[in-house]
Amino acid sequence: MIILLPRMMKLGQLAGIGVVLFFLFTIGVFAFGKKESPQSSPPSSSTGSSTESPSKENPMPPTAKRSWAGTYPAPEFPEGMEWLNVKEPLRFSTLKGKIVLLDFWTYGCINCIHNLPDLKRLQEEFPNELVVIGIHSAKFSNEGRMQNLRNILLRYEITHPVVNDPEFLLWQMWGPRAWPTLVLVDPAGNVSAATMGEGFYPQFKEIILSLREEFASKGLLDTRPWRAVLKPETRKPTLLSFPGKVRVHPTVDRIVLSDTGNHRILIVEESTGRVLDRVGGPAAGFSNGSFEQARFRFPQGIAFSIDGKTIYVADTGNHAIRMIDLSSRRVTTLVGTGKQSQEYPPAPGIGSSVALSSPWDVEVEGQTLFIAMAGSHQIWKMDLSTQAVSPLAGSGAEGYLDGAGKDAELAQPSGLSLGADRRLYFADSEGSSIRYVDLSTKDLQVVTLAGSGKSLFEFGPEDGVGPNARFQHPLGVRVHQGKIYVADTYNHRIREIDPQTRVVRTLSGLDPGFKDGQDARWDEPGGLDAKGNKLYVVDTNNHALRIFDLNEGRVSTLILKDSWSAREGARGSLSPLTVGPFPGSDLLFNETLPPLRFSKREISPGRIELSLWVDLPKGYKVTSEAFSTVAVRLSEGKGRFLGASPLSMQAPTFPIRLSFEFAPGFTEVHLETAIAYCAEGGEGLCYIDRRRLEVPLEVKVGGKDELALRYPVVLSP
């Protein structure tokens, strides 16, 4: 049993943290060759204090053939805990014969996010032998809310079982000391190996292969499929999907959004809300080319070049900086290989040969591009003329230490904004503070403007002056007209800081929710920009772009309007705000949608009209701001559709009438519908209901002369 031990625990903390992993820690050290980023530890229940784990680098000892079977029994999951992605709570007693990988994580932690692709990779490589279980022990109070955790599973496409541990019950039973901590349990239910940090995949794969071989040879490995117990979280598709950042063009009538959950960039006409272009999406990928060919993966920060003709994008999931040329309508990669750097912190270099680690935001000054490198707790800079890229501030250690740029400690910087005072302000999310790099000083001093500045575990919603104010994982910051505006993400608020007096006050928000007006509600706003007397805010969990009038103190929601189908003509497919194929392509039926199958109908030969009724939930209406569509396909048989497919409609009225012509025999009508609808009086809450309808038909003399179909739209997943 091998563990990566970043720091010996103070003996006085043992009683409050549990014994399982402490027992393992005393046996050995699981050492990875990769230098890992530092991790944060939560307060122990006995002391209420916290310690930060420094980074370590240990050589991998020579591998010898050995048994990875454990001897220490894994404690059972307690009754009454809340689970996601499964039909019912899991128990170790029912997982005997399976290899179990436990992931202790918290969703705001960048290192935890970095581990998700490797967890998915192992799931795919060992689909029947391995069960991955996430144990979510929240650092921030906001992260412990069940709905927020559900949103994160959807946002990052997490499909393995997750148990919510907001009271740290499982954390204390097992005794990890940092996020993330990963533990393997063998098929006999004994703890086999554990580690902290990133880069666990090669060693854990080797151990899983060894456990599979050893327990299969004894007839103790259960290889039966187990995915029948899964019930992945779902939600109704929305026009935007977890948007991350926003920028307003300084001179032209344009807004640019990172539509993060749809892996694309949207270019919107500010005055009307019309979507003029989309770049990338809807699927994730890493490729350059035209707007239609390009692919992104969870893009976040965006910035305009000085002349406004280029958009720079922090392509966070691809660990890259991308460039959108608005004149040629092409995307290229400036920096990044598409893979996370295997060095910590990443090494400087030139252009696309440099590997980065989760860039989260970008800012431009002349020929310099500043990068918030959340994954290495640093701020970097790039010379756009030479493409040389290197660290600007942050040693790579996660912390809150101010001082000279090369020595300062940052904690997941996630938002950037350059002031006229030559201060590069940044939202230091894990430190729950707003800080700046003084670019006018020779040694690039880092200063905490507001927030504790003394701990990674002091957070809250309190207004105040400088170090007395509190934030909770802020992700967005913008300097405008002498003030600093903050998207205080986990507090669901918009805050203002006076940089001269350091006074922090709340402008809008309280509890999470969705509401326009002067007493507005937000849900994890992630980014913001300003122009004139308005703040433009992407309200991430509400999947909306909202506008805060600074003079009136009122919030409104900008409804994005489709302008694509008009340019593409009758062959246009779904609205560019939906999940679907690209405009100009034939609509392909989504066979992954669960079909709604109707009973067989008998109809007469000849011309038949099909009337389609869709019943919306009470308080909702179809919207004219996006196109609804109906696509038609006939199985082999005696019939044809008398119209163009897909049919695009703005604010359709029901019934939707479709004409067919049938000859005697058997056939099936297949419809795929995408109905765009919004809440009455709250049009920012917009959804798209997608259905696949199947109607078997027997065409014969004496059948009915018309065909009617009706189905309800259910708001909840």
Side-chain angles (χ1 to χ4, degrees), residues 38 40 52 377 395-402 408-412 426 428 430-431 433 435 448 453-456:
S40 304
E52 304 302 316
H377 312 291
S395 66
E398 182 179 19
Y400 42 84
L401 180 68
D402 285 344
E409 296 175 356
L410 314 185
Q412 206 169 310
F426 61 96
D428 215 25
E430 282 294 287
S433 60
R435 306 169 74 183
T448 299
K454 297 180 179 179
S455 170
L456 300 186

Side-chain angles (χ1 to χ4, degrees), residues 197-423:
E198 305 175 28
F200 67 93
Y201 170 81
Q203 285 72 24
F204 265 34
K205 180 176 181 179
E206 181 180 337
I207 296 170
I208 292 169
L209 287 169
S210 176
L211 289 172
R212 182 174 70 175
E213 180 182 355
E214 178 177 352
F215 281 83
S217 68
K218 299 175 183 177
L220 300 177
L221 185 69
D222 182 358
T223 59
R224 293 173 299 176
W226 69 280
R227 296 193 177 275
V229 307
L230 294 179
K231 186 181 179 183
E233 295 296 317
T234 60
R235 70 175 183 91
K236 290 290 183 184
T238 44
L239 301 181
L240 292 170
S241 179
F242 300 106
K245 300 289 185 183
V246 59
R247 280 295 178 98
V248 184
H249 197 285
T251 58
V252 182
D253 184 19
R254 297 290 184 271
I255 300 173
V256 180
L257 296 166
S258 54
D259 188 12
T260 307
N262 285 325
H263 311 286
R264 64 187 177 184
I265 305 299
L266 296 183
I267 301 173
V268 177
E269 190 173 56
E270 178 188 354
S271 57
T272 65
R274 288 192 309 130
V275 174
L276 303 179
D277 261 315
R278 63 175 179 177
V279 190
F286 184 59
S287 59
N288 295 319
S290 67
F291 283 10
E292 294 77 19
Q293 295 169 330
R295 293 292 181 272
F296 299 86
R297 189 181 307 276
F298 300 116
Q300 285 285 344
I302 42 187
F304 285 103
S305 61
I306 298 302
D307 62 10
K309 297 179 180 179
T310 301
I311 300 171
Y312 301 102
V313 180
D315 192 5
T316 306
N318 282 322
H319 310 281
I321 304 298
R322 315 289 292 282
M323 184 175 72
I324 300 173
D325 188 318
L326 296 175
S327 300
S328 65
R329 302 185 76 253
R330 297 192 67 81
V331 176
T332 56
T333 299
L334 280 182
V335 189
T337 62
K339 302 288 186 181
Q340 185 188 358
S341 173
Q342 296 301 297
E343 295 184 69
Y344 190 88
I350 305 293
S352 58
S353 64
V354 180
L356 305 180
S357 183
S358 290
W360 208 277
D361 202 5
V362 286
E363 179 71 302
V364 172
E365 182 190 36
Q367 286 297 300
T368 300
L369 180 72
F370 298 104
I371 304 167
M373 197 76 72
S376 61
H377 312 291
Q378 295 175 304
I379 293 173
W380 281 44
K381 67 175 181 178
M382 179 180 187
D383 186 324
L384 293 171
S385 60
T386 66
Q387 295 196 340
V389 60
S390 61
L392 176 76
S395 66
E398 182 179 19
Y400 42 84
L401 180 68
D402 285 344
K406 64 181 180 61
D407 300 321
E409 296 175 356
L410 314 185
Q412 206 169 310
S414 303
L416 291 176
S417 186
L418 183 64
D421 52 7
R422 294 286 293 151
R423 291 176 176 179

Side-chain angles (χ1 to χ4, degrees), residues 13 30 193 206 218 243 287 289 291 294 324 356 387 392 431 505 508 566 573 578 602 623 638 665 667 703:
Q13 295 178 334
F30 194 60
E206 181 180 337
K218 299 175 183 177
S287 59
F291 283 10
I324 300 173
L356 305 180
Q387 295 196 340
L392 176 76
R505 68 186 184 107
S508 179
S573 64
T578 69
E602 294 181 353
T623 178
K638 306 291 185 178
T667 188

Side-chain angles (χ1 to χ4, degrees), residues 26-101:
T26 64
I27 296 175
V29 176
F30 194 60
F32 288 173
K34 174 186 174 184
K35 186 174 183 180
E36 297 184 344
S37 53
Q39 305 303 316
S40 304
S41 303
S44 74
S45 57
S46 62
T47 66
S49 64
S50 66
T51 58
E52 304 302 316
S53 304
S55 64
K56 284 283 184 179
E57 185 174 16
N58 298 303
M60 186 69 185
T63 303
K65 188 69 175 178
R66 54 155 294 178
S67 171
W68 284 98
T71 56
Y72 197 91
E76 189 56 89
F77 292 106
E79 301 268 353
M81 303 199 77
E82 294 181 305
W83 288 77
L84 294 168
N85 281 344
V86 285
K87 296 177 180 177
E88 58 185 27
L90 298 181
R91 306 278 292 173
F92 274 113
S93 58
T94 60
L95 293 174
K96 287 291 179 67
K98 300 291 187 185
I99 303 166
V100 179
L101 196 168

Side-chain angles (χ1 to χ4, degrees), residues 168-185:
F168 281 75
L169 179 61
L170 288 170
W171 185 280
Q172 294 180 40
M173 288 175 61
W174 283 84
R177 295 196 286 278
W179 294 287
T181 291
L182 301 109
V183 184
L184 278 174
V185 178

Side-chain angles (χ1 to χ4, degrees), residues 608-612 630-632 641-642 644 647 649 656-660 669 671 707:
I608 294 291
E609 186 173 80
L610 186 154
S611 298
L612 177 64
V630 177
V632 181
F641 175 52
L642 303 177
L647 175 66
M649 304 156 285
I656 298 171
R657 301 189 186 279
L658 307 172
S659 295
F660 296 84
V669 173
L671 305 178
L707 183 62

